[in-house]
Amino acid sequence: MKILICPDSFKDALSAADAARAIADGARRADASLDLLTCPLADGGEGSLDALLVATGAERRTARVRDALGRPIRADWGWRAESRTAYVELAEASGLQALARHERTALGSATFGVGELIREALDAGAERLLLTLGGSATNDGGAGMLAALGARLRDRQGRELPPGGAALAELAELDLSDLDPRLAALRVEAAVDVDNPLLGERGASAVFGPQKGATPTEVAHLDAALARFADVSAALLGQDYRDLPGAGAAGGMGFAARAFLGAELRPGIELVMAQANVAALMANADLVITGEGQLDGQSLGGKTPVGVARLARRHGVPVVVLAGRLAPGWQAAFDEGVTAAFALADGPMALDEALARCAELLAARSESLVRLWLARAASRP
């Protein structure tokens, strides 16, 4: 029996690689002779770089850049010399998980560090860029990234805007005359883990602003500021991408990636699975086990378990999801190819306990699942 194990990370508890190891440990307790293949995945959020490096064998490089609050940090990126391909994860430079809760401010956080990583890739001779956009601490529409690449954003008095999404409300001029000319020859694919537009009730500010520290009043201000950015951008470029599915990813970075880098926006899980050649692995599997911290109705927008299930359905392979929590709307995953889904908790417990015991609980659920699967297989004539 061949089992493909391909989870995402369990946020604040386990990386995707650690989660895959825990699931494999549980499966081996059920039957040590099983043929297990682990393939950690990501959907464009934090951990995507690690998954891509494992999948492609690319070299890990490190650069000194600014974080979402403008502080100097070290951030990793990937380089594959033979294909002149760079892998940049937004969350490495501008990720939400790198900030303490009291530091999270959607008003002033910026994507400047992402632009610095892209510049590093250009300096290395990149001809292709895979940019993953999940897990951001920002809501600046990618304005910080553009500034790092040479763009100038000015107010009505000709002053350059300060960093952050709130400042875009004062945007009067977007000057691209000094934008890095090497971008014109760069082929960009942007991995997004949501399909939200830039603005409105499903937009970047309304849906994701609160988790980045924005109050309801600030959400309204940020949405108006991004609308101003979209207006000025459309007037300059002659095209308007505010309603593009995925434009609202990473606080509007999807918008900037498409509008200014010419990026093709792709569901992150599809891009990562393509790089890891998951389809070939799945074709020989009898069962697929995937998972992440939470399965809910929003998972259908591009999260790892549902992306895996959609691919598995095309190959006729059953898929089981192990999730830290099954939240409202999770049953919709059945329509996308998920065979069954199980939560990890073995009784009432606080979040801190659940996080601390995540590997233990994941292995236990995996063992029970595989024992059940083997019993089913043995009962067949």
Side-chain angles (χ1 to χ4, degrees), residues 118-153:
I118 294 174
R119 204 166 60 219
E120 288 280 332
L122 291 169
D123 290 345
E127 298 175 0
R128 183 185 180 203
L129 170 67
L130 270 64
L131 177 64
T132 69
L133 297 185
S136 79
T138 58
N139 203 94
D140 72 346
M145 174 195 70
L146 292 175
L149 292 170
R152 298 290 177 263
L153 295 90

Side-chain angles (χ1 to χ4, degrees), residues 226-254:
L226 286 180
R228 178 63 185 166
F229 183 44
D231 289 343
V232 173
S233 299
L236 176 66
L237 301 174
Q239 296 188 72
D240 193 341
Y241 297 101
R242 73 185 72 197
D243 294 326
L244 181 72
M253 269 289 290

Side-chain angles (χ1 to χ4, degrees), residues 32 44 49 85 137 143-144 171 195 273 299 309 320-321 328 347 362:
L49 177 64
T85 300
L171 179 65
D195 58 3
M273 287 195 300
S299 297
V320 177
V321 178
L362 197 52

Side-chain angles (χ1 to χ4, degrees), residues 7-16 19 43 46 290-296 299 303-305 321-327 342-345 351 354-355 358 362:
D8 202 329
S9 62
F10 284 66
K11 189 172 291 186
D12 296 325
L14 298 174
S15 68
D43 56 20
E46 60 276 6
T290 184
E292 66 175 352
Q294 178 166 295
L295 183 69
D296 58 26
S299 297
K303 297 300 182 181
T304 292
V321 178
L322 302 179
R325 179 172 180 254
L326 298 176
F342 300 95
L344 299 188
L351 176 60
L355 295 175
C358 189
L362 197 52

Side-chain angles (χ1 to χ4, degrees), residues 336-359:
E336 303 299 323
V338 170
T339 306
F342 300 95
L344 299 188
D346 55 6
M349 65 180 66
L351 176 60
D352 287 345
E353 180 186 357
L355 295 175
R357 295 181 58 201
C358 189

